[in-house]
Amino acid sequence: MLTKTRYSLKDMILWTRGESLFFVVYAFLITFLYEVIGFVFIDMPWTAIALVGTAVAFIVGFQNNAAYGRIWEARKIWGGIVNTSRSWGMMIQAMLSNEHAKEPMADDEIDKHKQQLVYRHIAWLTALRHAMRQTKKWEVFEKHRTNREWSRIAYIPERVTSLNDDLLLYLSPEEHSYVMSKDNKAAALLYLQSNHLKDLKEKKIIWEFAFLNLEEKLSEMFDLQGKSERIKNFPYPRQYATLSHHFVWLFLLMLPLALVSEFESIAQNVQVHFPLADTWFVWLAVPFCGVVSWIFHTMMRIGTVGENPFEGSANDVPISTIARGIERDLRQLMNEETDIIPSQFPEKFHVQM
């Protein structure tokens, strides 16, 4: 997530430099063929191109709206995870006690159970964010060279440390082995949480009504996890993505074929007052084509990188930062020493991950 007001012009130029150069060179080639070589047969009617451009604008707009919807839904889901996590920590601290216990536990033993339940929740957050960062074959962010350049300099925690190493910080060796043997590691952790609550309920360390409330929170976590997985595992429909890609490129390739002759027609009117315009005015089609093509293609790219809000781009939901923030809150509320609580992930180039 970008934390500064807006992208700078330099950022946009660097991000789109390859396409921008292509559009200018292509427009120059078409203008050269038309004006210098005399290939006037490549001319296309402007009305037809304008109709295609209108259709393309609608398709690109639809794609961007859909992408924004997916990003906003993902942010709401992880906002729900924040709220549920805080409630979980509060309830664990309040609901584990000897009030109804048949055989009272020592206070330090109860504190140990509280810590296990909180740490296992942090492990769930860790497993979920790692799962969301896994690459799917339809994700295209890193297939573009300038996106890969950005990824190499950004701090994406899930690419710095492995899930295996991260979970060792929160789980016992037995639980770690159990979780790592499952395909859905986040779900396995919630099952462990439920079994732990059941054991404490049978020992009357948790009252039956409190047990039901805590189980309801686990069910809510399953619901939020499933919603997050739905966005991750179901892409923006490929038929729309395919049509958008091909239609935009069709329009961009046809655009100079119509604009060159339009600028030549304008030059004939302008030369009445500026006689030399006939020799240079038509070449203004090159920068004009470059700008129009850049706008359409950049809008398509913005929609494309926004389709999958967990890939790790500067426009994605900062799930790593959110998860680490929750961890810090929960551990501080357990009154842990400040020096053993991990710091927030670094923000590089004004981007939270």
Side-chain angles (χ1 to χ4, degrees), residues 33-266:
L33 292 175
Y34 185 93
E35 184 69 10
V36 178
I37 305 300
F39 284 3
V40 294
F41 60 86
I42 63 175
D43 177 34
M44 294 188 68
W46 172 248
T47 303
I49 304 300
L51 289 174
V52 173
T54 302
V56 168
F58 277 111
I59 289 178
V60 172
F62 175 79
Q63 181 184 24
N64 277 271
N65 284 336
Y68 178 80
R70 288 168 67 85
I71 293 173
W72 186 240
E73 183 183 4
R75 185 61 187 90
K76 290 193 293 184
I77 291 168
W78 277 80
I81 289 174
V82 171
N83 297 337
T84 303
S85 298
R86 290 171 177 166
S87 298
W88 175 260
M90 175 193 68
M91 295 169 74
I92 290 300
Q93 294 298 320
M95 292 181 173
L96 271 67
S97 69
N98 284 315
E99 183 179 358
H100 304 283
K102 295 178 180 178
E103 298 180 4
M105 285 185 181
D107 289 342
D108 59 343
E109 189 175 357
I110 291 180
D111 289 340
K112 182 179 179 181
H113 284 290
K114 291 179 180 179
Q115 185 187 60
Q116 287 177 337
L117 288 165
V118 170
Y119 272 36
R120 202 178 289 120
H121 180 75
I122 297 171
W124 173 72
L125 292 169
T126 303
L128 185 57
R129 65 179 171 86
H130 272 274
M132 294 300 100
R133 295 288 193 217
Q134 291 179 358
T135 303
K136 299 294 183 180
K137 57 186 178 181
W138 57 77
E139 294 177 344
V140 298
F141 175 72
E142 295 221 7
K143 293 182 180 179
H144 199 285
R145 180 166 57 90
T146 55
N147 292 341
R148 291 195 300 271
E149 290 173 357
W150 183 89
S151 293
R152 284 196 292 268
I153 62 175
Y155 185 86
I156 303 176
E158 292 75 22
R159 298 180 187 175
V160 177
T161 58
S162 67
L163 175 61
N164 182 77
D165 292 339
D166 282 345
L167 291 183
L168 284 171
L169 302 174
Y170 311 110
L171 303 176
S172 66
E174 295 78 14
E175 289 182 342
H176 182 270
S177 298
Y178 169 78
V179 170
M180 293 304 297
S181 68
K182 308 302 179 185
D183 291 337
N184 194 322
K185 296 168 179 55
L189 284 159
L190 293 181
Y191 272 88
L192 288 176
Q193 293 282 63
S194 181
N195 290 334
H196 193 173
L197 293 177
K198 178 184 176 183
D199 292 340
L200 293 175
K201 189 257 298 183
E202 291 174 350
K203 295 176 181 178
K204 301 297 182 179
I205 301 301
I206 297 179
W207 182 39
E208 283 84 352
F209 184 73
F211 170 75
L212 293 177
N213 284 335
L214 289 169
E215 285 288 310
E216 184 178 349
K217 283 297 173 185
L218 288 181
S219 178
E220 188 174 340
M221 292 176 204
F222 267 119
D223 185 48
L224 292 167
Q225 176 184 332
K227 290 179 179 179
S228 189
E229 290 171 340
R230 178 186 65 205
I231 295 177
K232 177 68 177 180
N233 298 327
F234 186 81
Y236 175 70
R238 294 296 86 195
Q239 66 271 30
Y240 296 118
T242 301
L243 289 176
S244 176
H245 176 81
H246 291 319
F247 286 178
V248 167
W249 274 104
L250 178 63
F251 170 70
L252 298 181
L253 293 176
M254 292 192 303
L255 181 64
L257 302 179
L259 275 182
V260 172
S261 60
E262 284 294 313
F263 271 79
E264 185 179 50
S265 299
I266 297 173

